[in-house]
Amino acid sequence: MRVYILTDLEGVTGVTLWSQTGPPDLAAYEASRRMLMHDISAAVEGCLAGGASRVTVLDGHGLPFNLVPELMHPGAEYIAGRGLPHTWGMDEGYDCGMQVGCHAMNRTMDGVLYHTQSHLNDARYWYNDQELGEIGQCGLVFGHFDIRCVMVTGDYAACREAEALFGPQCVTAAVKYGYSRQCCRMLAPQKTYELIRNAAKAAMGKVAEARPLKFELPIRARVETLAVELPETASPEEVAAAPHQVHEGICPTQLDVYAF
Ligand SMILES: [Zn+2]
């Protein structure tokens, strides 16, 4: 059984501030990278315990390299760097997909570090009139290759979003509970390791009943972004009330949603 694991950094154990997700605060970012490896290792362990024969992990956070090589679980292979192929290295041979370290879509008020693609321009995306965040966008890419998304980890709001989209066949592991965009109640790494490992193992048993996310093709895509620059201190109400611009297009396949 082959498993493809997508990763992000905002939904990883111990992360609740933008400053933890990249430079210039290198000490905070390095700590997050180590927690990313912690959460990945827990998922890989669970996959192997659930019968996976091959596990591929993609480093998917904005910066080109977030992994820490000396902390890589030897039971997986890792994709990272600049110039990612259009297919993200996926093919129809993968039996299931998982998403580790996820965050909720933009404007999810109890979502830790909520955003869709960019947290600076209030971006929102719709496909065939359904709004999706990054969990859904990744679900569409998985779906292009008939890969079922069977597990999602992240904050509670991200897990709720995943369950609504993929159904009860998608097992989730919530590692923190958001109070607001940059404040949460979090669990300790020792605890989240267990949660993620158990979720991944349980998910391996759900592959047969899970279904890939499929949208009618071609997909009508729409993105809305802020048309003006606002200070980072702007409130959610001020952001929502500011002028926005809309861009519409067509995605011939589900693989094209990120290129749109
Ligand atoms: Zn990210």
Side-chain angles (χ1 to χ4, degrees):
M1 196 110 88
R2 289 171 70 197
V3 187
Y4 192 108
I5 301 179
L6 288 163
T7 70
D8 205 351
L9 195 58
E10 287 86 352
V12 155
T13 300
V15 173
T16 195
L17 296 168
W18 294 119
S19 58
Q20 291 176 280
T21 64
D25 188 345
L26 286 179
Y29 172 52
E30 291 304 322
S32 303
R33 292 177 69 192
R34 301 177 77 82
M35 278 298 110
L36 169 67
M37 301 312 291
H38 168 276
D39 288 10
I40 291 172
S41 293
V44 173
E45 275 288 324
C47 290
L48 297 174
S53 54
R54 184 174 171 188
V55 184
T56 307
V57 178
L58 175 79
D59 183 2
H61 181 61
L63 298 161
F65 201 95
N66 304 282
L67 302 172
V68 182
E70 65 266 31
L71 296 178
M72 286 176 178
H73 189 297
E77 56 189 3
Y78 298 82
I79 300 174
R82 292 187 200 279
L84 187 66
H86 189 50
T87 59
W88 298 5
M90 287 182 204
D91 58 59
E92 285 81 0
Y94 285 96
D95 298 282
C96 65
M98 299 184 181
Q99 301 190 46
V100 167
C102 298
H103 54 82
M105 74 168 79
N106 191 14
R107 301 218 191 157
T108 305
M109 290 303 141
D110 64 340
V112 180
L113 301 178
Y114 67 77
H115 68 284
T116 307
Q117 298 303 329
S118 167
H119 71 277
L120 301 172
N121 64 359
D122 193 40
R124 299 173 74 188
Y125 291 76
W126 287 263
Y127 303 97
N128 292 350
D129 298 323
Q130 181 175 349
E131 185 174 9
L132 293 183
E134 294 178 29
I135 294 169
Q137 291 173 323
C138 291
L140 286 176
V141 173
F142 274 150
H144 175 82
F145 296 102
D146 289 330
I147 300 171
R148 313 111 201 257
C149 184
V150 293
M151 187 195 73
V152 169
T153 82
D155 69 307
Y156 175 74
C159 293
R160 185 181 61 211
E161 187 176 313
E163 284 163 16
L165 195 58
F166 303 121
Q169 293 81 12
C170 181
V171 183
T172 60
V175 302
K176 50 195 163 185
Y177 299 80
Y179 291 126
S180 65
R181 205 176 190 184
Q182 293 196 78
C183 181
C184 74
R185 172 164 52 89
M186 61 177 76
L187 299 174
Q190 240 181 335
K191 182 70 189 166
T192 63
Y193 192 95
E194 205 181 304
L195 280 178
I196 296 170
R197 183 193 174 282
N198 292 345
K201 187 180 175 198
M204 295 299 292
K206 299 244 187 185
V207 174
E209 49 182 293
R211 289 287 163 264
L213 186 64
K214 289 285 193 186
F215 274 25
E216 197 181 322
L217 300 176
I219 294 172
R220 284 173 289 107
R222 176 170 177 263
V223 56
E224 188 182 289
T225 52
L226 268 180
V228 293
E229 261 193 61
L230 291 179
E232 279 209 46
T233 49
S235 70
E237 294 74 23
E238 286 166 335
V239 172
H244 285 67
Q245 58 203 3
V246 172
H247 171 62
E248 291 179 318
I250 294 289
C251 300
T253 74
Q254 292 186 191
L255 192 54
D256 302 308
V257 293
Y258 265 94
F260 161 69

Coordinates of all heavy atoms in Angstrom, one line a residue, residues 143-187:
G143 N -7.4 14.0 -5.8 CA -8.5 13.4 -6.5 C -8.2 13.3 -8.0 O -8.7 12.3 -8.7
H144 N -7.4 14.1 -8.6 CA -7.0 14.0 -10.0 C -6.4 12.7 -10.2 O -6.6 12.1 -11.3 CB -6.0 15.1 -10.3 CG -5.4 15.0 -11.7 ND1 -6.1 15.5 -12.8 CD2 -4.3 14.4 -12.2 CE1 -5.4 15.2 -13.9 NE2 -4.3 14.6 -13.6
F145 N -5.6 12.1 -9.3 CA -5.0 10.8 -9.4 C -5.8 9.7 -8.7 O -5.2 8.6 -8.5 CB -3.5 10.9 -8.8 CG -2.6 11.8 -9.5 CD1 -2.4 13.1 -9.0 CD2 -2.1 11.5 -10.7 CE1 -1.5 14.0 -9.6 CE2 -1.2 12.4 -11.4 CZ -1.0 13.6 -10.9
D146 N -7.0 10.0 -8.4 CA -7.9 9.1 -7.7 C -7.4 8.7 -6.3 O -7.6 7.6 -5.8 CB -8.2 7.8 -8.6 CG -9.1 8.1 -9.8 OD1 -9.9 9.0 -9.6 OD2 -8.9 7.5 -10.8
I147 N -6.6 9.6 -5.8 CA -6.1 9.3 -4.4 C -7.1 9.8 -3.4 O -7.5 11.0 -3.4 CB -4.7 10.0 -4.2 CG1 -3.7 9.5 -5.3 CG2 -4.2 9.8 -2.8 CD1 -2.4 10.3 -5.3
R148 N -7.5 8.9 -2.5 CA -8.4 9.3 -1.4 C -7.7 10.0 -0.3 O -6.7 9.4 0.2 CB -9.2 8.1 -0.9 CG -9.7 7.2 -1.8 CD -9.0 5.8 -1.8 NE -9.2 5.1 -3.1 CZ -10.0 4.1 -3.2 NH1 -10.6 3.6 -2.2 NH2 -10.2 3.5 -4.4
C149 N -8.2 11.1 0.3 CA -7.6 11.7 1.4 C -8.2 11.0 2.7 O -9.3 11.2 3.0 CB -7.8 13.2 1.4 SG -7.0 14.0 2.8
V150 N -7.4 10.3 3.4 CA -7.9 9.5 4.5 C -7.5 10.0 5.9 O -7.9 9.5 6.9 CB -7.5 8.0 4.4 CG1 -8.2 7.3 3.2 CG2 -6.0 7.8 4.3
M151 N -6.6 11.0 5.9 CA -6.2 11.5 7.2 C -5.8 13.0 7.1 O -5.1 13.4 6.1 CB -5.1 10.7 7.9 CG -4.9 11.2 9.3 SD -3.4 10.7 10.1 CE -2.1 11.7 9.3
V152 N -6.2 13.8 8.1 CA -5.8 15.2 8.1 C -5.4 15.5 9.6 O -6.1 15.2 10.5 CB -6.9 16.1 7.7 CG1 -6.5 17.6 8.0 CG2 -7.1 16.0 6.1
T153 N -4.2 16.2 9.8 CA -3.9 16.7 11.1 C -3.7 18.2 11.0 O -3.5 18.7 10.0 CB -2.6 16.1 11.6 OG1 -1.5 16.8 11.1 CG2 -2.4 14.6 11.3
G154 N -3.9 18.8 12.2 CA -3.8 20.3 12.2 C -4.6 20.8 13.5 O -4.8 20.0 14.4
D155 N -5.1 22.0 13.4 CA -5.9 22.5 14.5 C -7.3 22.0 14.4 O -7.7 21.4 13.3 CB -5.8 24.0 14.6 CG -6.6 24.7 13.4 OD1 -6.3 24.3 12.3 OD2 -7.5 25.5 13.7
Y156 N -8.1 22.2 15.4 CA -9.4 21.6 15.4 C -10.3 22.1 14.2 O -11.0 21.3 13.6 CB -10.1 22.0 16.7 CG -11.6 21.5 16.8 CD1 -11.9 20.2 16.9 CD2 -12.6 22.5 16.6 CE1 -13.2 19.8 16.9 CE2 -13.9 22.1 16.6 CZ -14.2 20.7 16.8 OH -15.5 20.3 16.8
A157 N -10.2 23.4 13.9 CA -10.9 23.9 12.8 C -10.5 23.3 11.4 O -11.4 23.1 10.6 CB -10.8 25.4 12.7
A158 N -9.3 23.0 11.3 CA -8.8 22.3 10.0 C -9.4 20.9 10.0 O -9.8 20.5 8.9 CB -7.3 22.3 10.0
C159 N -9.4 20.2 11.1 CA -10.0 18.9 11.1 C -11.5 18.9 10.8 O -12.0 18.0 10.1 CB -9.7 18.2 12.5 SG -8.0 17.9 12.8
R160 N -12.2 19.9 11.3 CA -13.6 20.0 11.1 C -13.8 20.3 9.6 O -14.7 19.7 9.0 CB -14.1 21.2 11.9 CG -15.6 21.4 11.8 CD -16.0 22.7 12.7 NE -15.3 23.9 12.2 CZ -14.9 24.9 13.0 NH1 -15.2 24.9 14.3 NH2 -14.4 26.0 12.4
E161 N -13.0 21.1 9.0 CA -13.1 21.4 7.6 C -12.9 20.1 6.7 O -13.6 19.9 5.7 CB -12.1 22.5 7.2 CG -12.2 23.0 5.8 CD -11.2 24.2 5.6 OE1 -11.1 25.1 6.4 OE2 -10.5 24.2 4.6
A162 N -11.9 19.3 7.1 CA -11.6 18.1 6.4 C -12.7 17.1 6.5 O -13.1 16.5 5.5 CB -10.3 17.5 7.0
E163 N -13.3 17.0 7.7 CA -14.4 16.0 7.9 C -15.6 16.4 7.0 O -16.3 15.6 6.4 CB -14.8 15.9 9.3 CG -13.8 15.1 10.1 CD -13.9 15.3 11.6 OE1 -14.9 15.8 12.1 OE2 -12.9 14.9 12.3
A164 N -15.9 17.7 6.9 CA -17.0 18.2 6.2 C -16.8 17.9 4.7 O -17.7 17.6 3.9 CB -17.2 19.7 6.4
L165 N -15.6 18.0 4.2 CA -15.2 17.8 2.8 C -15.1 16.4 2.4 O -15.6 15.9 1.4 CB -13.9 18.6 2.6 CG -13.5 18.9 1.1 CD1 -14.6 19.7 0.4 CD2 -12.2 19.7 1.1
F166 N -14.4 15.6 3.2 CA -14.0 14.2 2.8 C -14.9 13.2 3.5 O -14.9 12.0 3.1 CB -12.6 13.9 3.2 CG -11.6 14.8 2.5 CD1 -10.7 15.6 3.3 CD2 -11.5 15.0 1.1 CE1 -9.8 16.5 2.7 CE2 -10.6 15.9 0.6 CZ -9.7 16.6 1.3
G167 N -15.7 13.6 4.5 CA -16.6 12.6 5.1 C -16.0 11.9 6.3 O -14.8 12.1 6.5
P168 N -16.7 11.0 6.9 CA -16.2 10.3 8.1 C -15.1 9.3 7.8 O -14.5 8.8 8.7 CB -17.5 9.6 8.7 CG -18.4 9.6 7.5 CD -18.1 10.7 6.6
Q169 N -14.9 9.0 6.5 CA -13.9 8.1 6.2 C -12.5 8.7 6.4 O -11.5 8.1 6.3 CB -14.0 7.6 4.7 CG -15.2 6.7 4.5 CD -16.5 7.5 4.3 OE1 -16.4 8.7 4.1 NE2 -17.6 6.8 4.3
C170 N -12.5 10.1 6.5 CA -11.2 10.8 6.7 C -11.0 10.9 8.3 O -11.8 11.6 9.0 CB -11.3 12.2 6.1 SG -9.7 13.1 6.3
V171 N -10.0 10.3 8.7 CA -9.6 10.3 10.2 C -8.8 11.6 10.4 O -8.0 12.0 9.7 CB -8.8 9.1 10.6 CG1 -8.5 9.1 12.1 CG2 -9.5 7.8 10.1
T172 N -9.1 12.3 11.6 CA -8.4 13.5 11.9 C -7.7 13.4 13.2 O -8.1 12.7 14.1 CB -9.4 14.7 11.8 OG1 -10.4 14.5 12.8 CG2 -10.0 14.9 10.5
A173 N -6.7 14.3 13.4 CA -6.0 14.4 14.6 C -5.8 15.9 14.9 O -5.1 16.6 14.2 CB -4.7 13.7 14.6
A174 N -6.5 16.4 15.9 CA -6.4 17.8 16.3 C -5.4 18.0 17.3 O -5.4 17.5 18.4 CB -7.8 18.3 16.8
V175 N -4.3 18.8 17.0 CA -3.2 19.0 17.9 C -3.3 20.3 18.7 O -2.5 20.6 19.6 CB -1.9 18.9 17.2 CG1 -1.7 17.6 16.4 CG2 -1.7 20.1 16.2
K176 N -4.3 21.1 18.3 CA -4.6 22.4 19.1 C -6.0 22.9 18.8 O -6.6 22.5 17.7 CB -3.5 23.4 18.7 CG -3.3 23.6 17.1 CD -2.1 24.3 16.8 CE -1.7 24.1 15.3 NZ -0.4 24.7 14.9
Y177 N -6.5 23.8 19.6 CA -7.8 24.3 19.5 C -7.7 25.8 19.5 O -7.3 26.4 20.4 CB -8.7 23.9 20.7 CG -8.8 22.4 20.8 CD1 -7.7 21.6 21.3 CD2 -9.9 21.7 20.2 CE1 -7.8 20.2 21.3 CE2 -10.0 20.3 20.3 CZ -8.9 19.6 20.8 OH -9.0 18.2 20.8
G178 N -8.1 26.4 18.4 CA -7.9 27.9 18.2 C -8.9 28.7 19.0 O -10.1 28.4 19.1
Y179 N -8.4 29.8 19.6 CA -9.3 30.8 20.2 C -9.4 32.0 19.3 O -10.4 32.6 19.2 CB -8.6 31.3 21.5 CG -8.6 30.3 22.7 CD1 -7.5 30.0 23.3 CD2 -9.8 29.7 23.1 CE1 -7.5 29.1 24.4 CE2 -9.8 28.8 24.1 CZ -8.6 28.5 24.7 OH -8.6 27.6 25.8
S180 N -8.3 32.2 18.5 CA -8.3 33.3 17.5 C -7.2 32.9 16.6 O -6.6 31.8 16.6 CB -8.1 34.6 18.2 OG -6.8 34.7 18.7
R181 N -6.9 33.8 15.6 CA -6.0 33.5 14.5 C -4.6 33.1 15.1 O -3.9 32.3 14.5 CB -5.9 34.7 13.6 CG -5.5 34.3 12.2 CD -5.5 35.5 11.2 NE -5.3 35.1 9.9 CZ -5.2 35.9 8.9 NH1 -5.3 37.2 9.1 NH2 -5.1 35.5 7.6
Q182 N -4.2 33.8 16.1 CA -2.8 33.5 16.6 C -2.8 33.1 18.1 O -1.8 33.4 18.8 CB -1.9 34.7 16.4 CG -1.6 35.1 15.0 CD -0.4 36.0 14.8 OE1 0.7 35.6 14.9 NE2 -0.7 37.2 14.6
C183 N -3.9 32.5 18.6 CA -3.9 32.0 20.0 C -4.6 30.7 20.0 O -5.7 30.6 19.4 CB -4.6 33.1 20.8 SG -4.6 32.6 22.6
C184 N -4.1 29.8 20.7 CA -4.7 28.4 20.8 C -4.4 27.8 22.1 O -3.5 28.2 22.9 CB -4.3 27.5 19.7 SG -2.6 26.9 19.8
R185 N -5.1 26.7 22.4 CA -4.9 25.8 23.5 C -4.2 24.6 22.8 O -4.9 23.9 22.0 CB -6.2 25.5 24.2 CG -6.2 24.4 25.2 CD -7.5 24.5 26.1 NE -8.7 24.5 25.2 CZ -9.3 23.4 24.9 NH1 -8.9 22.2 25.2 NH2 -10.4 23.5 24.1
M186 N -3.0 24.3 23.2 CA -2.3 23.2 22.4 C -1.9 22.0 23.3 O -1.8 22.1 24.5 CB -1.0 23.8 21.8 CG 0.0 24.4 22.7 SD 1.5 25.0 21.9 CE 0.9 26.5 21.1
L187 N -1.7 20.9 22.6 CA -1.3 19.7 23.3 C 0.2 19.5 23.2 O 0.8 20.0 22.2 CB -2.0 18.5 22.6 CG -3.5 18.5 22.7 CD1 -4.1 17.3 21.9 CD2 -4.0 18.4 24.1

